[in-house]
Coordinates of all heavy atoms in Angstrom, one line a residue:
Y116 N -9.9 1.1 6.5 CA -8.6 0.7 6.9 C -7.9 -0.3 6.0 O -7.1 -1.1 6.4 CB -8.6 0.2 8.4 CG -9.0 1.3 9.3 CD1 -10.3 1.4 9.8 CD2 -8.1 2.3 9.7 CE1 -10.7 2.4 10.7 CE2 -8.5 3.4 10.5 CZ -9.8 3.4 11.0 OH -10.2 4.4 11.9
K117 N -8.3 -0.3 4.7 CA -7.6 -1.1 3.7 C -7.2 -0.1 2.6 O -7.8 -0.2 1.5 CB -8.5 -2.2 3.2 CG -9.1 -3.1 4.3 CD -8.0 -3.8 5.1 CE -8.7 -4.8 6.2 NZ -7.7 -5.2 7.2
P118 N -6.2 0.7 2.8 CA -6.0 1.8 1.8 C -5.2 1.3 0.6 O -4.8 0.1 0.5 CB -5.1 2.8 2.6 CG -4.4 1.9 3.6 CD -5.4 0.8 4.0
A119 N -5.0 2.2 -0.3 CA -4.2 1.9 -1.5 C -2.8 1.5 -1.1 O -2.2 0.5 -1.6 CB -4.2 3.1 -2.4
I120 N -2.2 2.2 -0.1 CA -0.8 1.9 0.4 C -0.9 2.0 1.9 O -1.3 3.0 2.5 CB 0.2 3.0 -0.2 CG1 0.2 2.9 -1.7 CG2 1.6 2.7 0.4 CD1 1.1 4.0 -2.4
D121 N -0.4 0.9 2.5 CA -0.5 0.8 4.0 C 0.9 0.4 4.5 O 1.5 -0.6 4.1 CB -1.5 -0.3 4.3 CG -2.0 -0.2 5.7 OD1 -1.4 0.5 6.5 OD2 -3.0 -1.0 6.1
L122 N 1.3 1.1 5.5 CA 2.6 0.9 6.2 C 2.4 0.4 7.6 O 3.4 0.4 8.4 CB 3.5 2.1 6.2 CG 3.8 2.7 4.8 CD1 4.9 3.8 5.0 CD2 4.4 1.7 3.9
H123 N 1.2 0.0 8.1 CA 1.1 -0.3 9.5 C 0.6 -1.8 9.6 O -0.1 -2.3 8.7 CB 0.2 0.7 10.2 CG -1.2 0.3 10.2 ND1 -2.0 0.5 9.1 CD2 -2.0 -0.1 11.2 CE1 -3.3 0.1 9.5 NE2 -3.3 -0.2 10.7
H124 N 0.9 -2.4 10.7 CA 0.4 -3.7 11.0 C -1.0 -3.6 11.5 O -1.5 -2.6 12.0 CB 1.3 -4.3 12.2 CG 1.1 -5.8 12.3 ND1 0.0 -6.3 13.0 CD2 1.8 -6.8 11.9 CE1 0.1 -7.7 12.9 NE2 1.2 -8.0 12.3
T125 N -1.8 -4.7 11.2 CA -3.2 -4.7 11.6 C -3.4 -4.5 13.1 O -4.4 -3.9 13.5 CB -3.8 -6.0 11.1 OG1 -3.6 -6.2 9.7 CG2 -5.3 -6.0 11.4
Y126 N -2.5 -5.1 13.9 CA -2.7 -5.0 15.3 C -1.7 -4.1 15.9 O -0.5 -4.2 15.8 CB -2.5 -6.4 15.9 CG -3.4 -7.5 15.2 CD1 -2.9 -8.4 14.3 CD2 -4.8 -7.5 15.5 CE1 -3.7 -9.3 13.7 CE2 -5.6 -8.4 14.8 CZ -5.1 -9.3 13.9 OH -5.9 -10.2 13.3
Y127 N -2.2 -3.1 16.7 CA -1.4 -2.0 17.2 C -0.4 -2.5 18.3 O 0.6 -1.9 18.6 CB -2.2 -0.9 17.8 CG -3.0 -0.1 16.8 CD1 -4.4 -0.2 16.7 CD2 -2.3 0.7 15.9 CE1 -5.0 0.5 15.7 CE2 -3.0 1.4 14.9 CZ -4.3 1.3 14.9 OH -5.0 2.1 13.9
L128 N -0.6 -3.7 18.8 CA 0.3 -4.2 19.8 C 1.6 -4.8 19.2 O 2.6 -5.0 19.9 CB -0.4 -5.3 20.7 CG -1.6 -4.8 21.5 CD1 -2.2 -5.9 22.3 CD2 -1.2 -3.7 22.5
V129 N 1.6 -5.0 17.9 CA 2.8 -5.5 17.2 C 3.7 -4.4 16.9 O 3.3 -3.3 16.6 CB 2.4 -6.2 15.9 CG1 3.6 -6.7 15.2 CG2 1.5 -7.4 16.3
S130 N 5.0 -4.6 17.1 CA 6.0 -3.6 16.8 C 5.9 -3.0 15.4 O 5.9 -3.8 14.5 CB 7.4 -4.1 17.1 OG 8.4 -3.2 16.7
E131 N 5.9 -1.7 15.3 CA 5.8 -1.1 14.0 C 7.2 -0.8 13.4 O 7.7 0.3 13.4 CB 5.0 0.2 14.1 CG 3.6 0.1 14.6 CD 2.7 -0.5 13.5 OE1 3.1 -0.7 12.4 OE2 1.5 -0.8 13.9
D132 N 7.8 -1.9 12.9 CA 9.2 -1.7 12.3 C 9.0 -1.3 10.9 O 9.0 -2.1 9.9 CB 10.0 -3.0 12.4 CG 10.8 -3.0 13.6 OD1 11.3 -2.0 14.1 OD2 11.1 -4.1 14.2
V133 N 8.8 0.0 10.7 CA 8.7 0.6 9.3 C 9.7 1.8 9.3 O 9.5 2.8 10.0 CB 7.3 1.0 9.0 CG1 7.3 1.6 7.6 CG2 6.3 -0.2 9.0
V134 N 10.7 1.7 8.5 CA 11.7 2.7 8.4 C 12.1 2.9 6.9 O 12.5 1.9 6.2 CB 13.0 2.5 9.2 CG1 14.0 3.6 9.1 CG2 12.6 2.2 10.7
G135 N 12.1 4.1 6.4 CA 12.7 4.4 5.1 C 12.0 3.8 3.9 O 12.6 3.4 2.9
V136 N 10.6 3.9 3.9 CA 9.9 3.5 2.7 C 9.6 4.7 1.9 O 9.3 5.8 2.4 CB 8.5 2.9 3.1 CG1 7.7 2.6 1.9 CG2 8.7 1.6 4.0
Y137 N 9.8 4.6 0.6 CA 9.6 5.7 -0.4 C 8.3 5.4 -1.1 O 8.1 4.4 -1.7 CB 10.7 5.8 -1.4 CG 10.5 6.9 -2.4 CD1 10.8 8.2 -2.1 CD2 10.0 6.6 -3.7 CE1 10.6 9.2 -3.0 CE2 9.8 7.6 -4.6 CZ 10.1 8.9 -4.2 OH 9.8 10.0 -5.1
I138 N 7.4 6.4 -1.0 CA 6.1 6.4 -1.7 C 6.0 7.6 -2.6 O 5.8 8.7 -2.1 CB 4.9 6.4 -0.7 CG1 5.0 5.2 0.2 CG2 3.6 6.4 -1.4 CD1 4.0 5.2 1.4
G139 N 6.2 7.4 -3.9 CA 6.3 8.6 -4.8 C 5.7 8.4 -6.2 O 5.8 7.3 -6.7
H140 N 5.1 9.5 -6.7 CA 4.7 9.5 -8.1 C 3.6 8.5 -8.4 O 3.5 7.9 -9.5 CB 5.9 9.2 -9.1 CG 7.0 10.2 -8.9 ND1 7.0 11.4 -9.6 CD2 8.1 10.2 -8.1 CE1 8.1 12.1 -9.2 NE2 8.8 11.4 -8.3
N141 N 2.8 8.2 -7.4 CA 1.6 7.3 -7.6 C 0.3 8.1 -7.9 O 0.2 9.2 -7.4 CB 1.4 6.5 -6.4 CG 2.6 5.6 -6.1 OD1 2.9 4.6 -6.7 ND2 3.3 6.0 -5.0
L142 N -0.6 7.5 -8.7 CA -1.9 8.1 -8.9 C -2.9 7.2 -8.2 O -3.0 6.0 -8.5 CB -2.2 8.1 -10.4 CG -3.6 8.5 -10.8 CD1 -3.9 10.0 -10.4 CD2 -3.8 8.4 -12.3
I143 N -3.6 7.8 -7.2 CA -4.5 7.0 -6.4 C -5.9 7.7 -6.4 O -6.0 8.9 -6.1 CB -4.0 6.9 -4.9 CG1 -2.6 6.3 -4.9 CG2 -4.9 6.2 -4.0 CD1 -1.9 6.4 -3.5
H144 N -6.9 6.9 -6.7 CA -8.2 7.5 -6.7 C -9.4 6.5 -6.5 O -9.2 5.3 -6.6 CB -8.4 8.2 -8.1 CG -8.4 7.3 -9.3 ND1 -9.5 6.7 -9.8 CD2 -7.3 6.9 -10.0 CE1 -9.2 6.0 -10.9 NE2 -7.8 6.0 -11.0
D145 N -10.5 7.0 -6.2 CA -11.8 6.2 -6.0 C -11.6 5.1 -4.9 O -11.6 3.9 -5.2 CB -12.2 5.7 -7.3 CG -12.7 6.8 -8.3 OD1 -13.7 7.4 -8.0 OD2 -12.0 7.0 -9.3
L146 N -11.6 5.6 -3.7 CA -11.5 4.7 -2.5 C -12.5 5.2 -1.5 O -12.7 6.4 -1.3 CB -10.1 4.8 -1.9 CG -8.9 4.5 -2.8 CD1 -7.6 4.6 -2.0 CD2 -9.0 3.1 -3.4
P147 N -13.1 4.3 -0.7 CA -14.1 4.6 0.3 C -13.4 5.2 1.5 O -14.1 5.9 2.3 CB -14.8 3.3 0.6 CG -13.8 2.3 0.3 CD -13.0 2.8 -0.9
H148 N -12.1 4.9 1.8 CA -11.4 5.4 3.0 C -10.1 6.0 2.6 O -10.0 6.7 1.6 CB -11.3 4.2 3.9 CG -11.1 4.6 5.4 ND1 -10.5 3.7 6.3 CD2 -11.4 5.7 6.0 CE1 -10.5 4.3 7.5 NE2 -11.0 5.5 7.4
Q149 N -9.1 5.7 3.4 CA -7.8 6.4 3.2 C -7.1 6.0 1.9 O -7.3 4.9 1.4 CB -6.8 6.0 4.3 CG -7.4 6.3 5.7 CD -6.8 5.5 6.8 OE1 -6.0 4.6 6.5 NE2 -7.2 5.8 8.0
A150 N -6.2 6.9 1.4 CA -5.4 6.5 0.2 C -4.0 6.0 0.7 O -3.6 4.9 0.3 CB -5.1 7.7 -0.6
I151 N -3.3 6.7 1.6 CA -2.1 6.3 2.2 C -2.1 6.3 3.7 O -2.5 7.3 4.3 CB -0.9 7.2 1.7 CG1 -0.8 7.1 0.1 CG2 0.4 6.8 2.3 CD1 0.2 8.1 -0.4
C152 N -1.8 5.2 4.3 CA -1.7 5.2 5.8 C -0.2 4.9 6.2 O 0.3 3.8 5.8 CB -2.6 4.1 6.4 SG -2.6 4.0 8.2
W153 N 0.4 5.9 6.8 CA 1.9 5.7 7.1 C 2.1 5.6 8.6 O 1.4 6.2 9.4 CB 2.7 6.9 6.5 CG 2.3 8.2 7.1 CD1 1.4 9.2 6.7 CD2 2.9 8.8 8.3 NE1 1.4 10.3 7.5 CE2 2.3 10.1 8.5 CE3 3.9 8.4 9.2 CZ2 2.6 10.9 9.6 CZ3 4.2 9.2 10.3 CH2 3.5 10.4 10.5
F154 N 3.1 4.8 8.9 CA 3.6 4.6 10.3 C 5.1 4.6 10.2 O 5.7 4.4 9.1 CB 3.1 3.3 10.9 CG 1.6 3.4 11.3 CD1 0.6 3.7 10.5 CD2 1.3 3.3 12.7 CE1 -0.7 3.8 10.9 CE2 0.0 3.4 13.2 CZ -1.0 3.6 12.3
G155 N 5.8 4.7 11.3 CA 7.2 4.5 11.4 C 8.0 5.7 11.2 O 7.6 6.9 11.5
N156 N 9.3 5.6 10.8 CA 10.2 6.7 10.7 C 10.9 6.8 9.3 O 11.1 5.9 8.6 CB 11.4 6.4 11.7 CG 10.8 6.4 13.2 OD1 10.3 5.4 13.6 ND2 11.0 7.5 13.9
N157 N 11.3 8.1 9.0 CA 12.1 8.4 7.9 C 11.5 7.9 6.5 O 12.2 7.6 5.6 CB 13.5 7.8 8.0 CG 14.2 8.3 9.3 OD1 13.8 9.4 9.8 ND2 15.2 7.6 9.7
N158 N 10.2 7.9 6.5 CA 9.5 7.6 5.2 C 9.3 8.9 4.4 O 9.2 10.0 4.9 CB 8.1 7.0 5.5 CG 8.2 5.7 6.3 OD1 8.9 4.8 6.0 ND2 7.6 5.8 7.5
V159 N 9.3 8.8 3.1 CA 9.1 9.9 2.2 C 7.8 9.6 1.3 O 7.7 8.6 0.7 CB 10.3 10.1 1.3 CG1 10.0 11.3 0.3 CG2 11.5 10.4 2.1
I160 N 6.9 10.6 1.4 CA 5.7 10.5 0.6 C 5.6 11.8 -0.3 O 5.4 12.9 0.2 CB 4.4 10.4 1.5 CG1 4.5 9.2 2.4 CG2 3.2 10.4 0.7 CD1 3.5 9.2 3.5
E161 N 5.8 11.7 -1.6 CA 5.9 12.9 -2.4 C 5.4 12.6 -3.8 O 5.4 11.5 -4.3 CB 7.4 13.3 -2.5 CG 8.4 12.4 -3.1 CD 9.8 12.9 -3.2 OE1 10.1 13.9 -2.5 OE2 10.6 12.3 -3.9

Side-chain angles (χ1 to χ4, degrees):
Y116 296 103
K117 308 297 182 195
I120 299 172
D121 197 351
L122 301 187
H123 91 286
H124 194 281
T125 302
Y126 306 105
Y127 290 112
L128 296 179
V129 175
S130 175
E131 298 288 354
D132 267 329
V133 178
V134 183
V136 177
Y137 179 78
I138 301 172
H140 302 274
N141 300 287
L142 175 63
I143 302 172
H144 62 92
D145 291 291
L146 307 177
H148 201 203
Q149 306 156 354
I151 299 172
C152 185
W153 63 266
F154 281 64
N156 298 78
N157 300 341
N158 303 299
V159 177
I160 301 172
E161 65 180 10

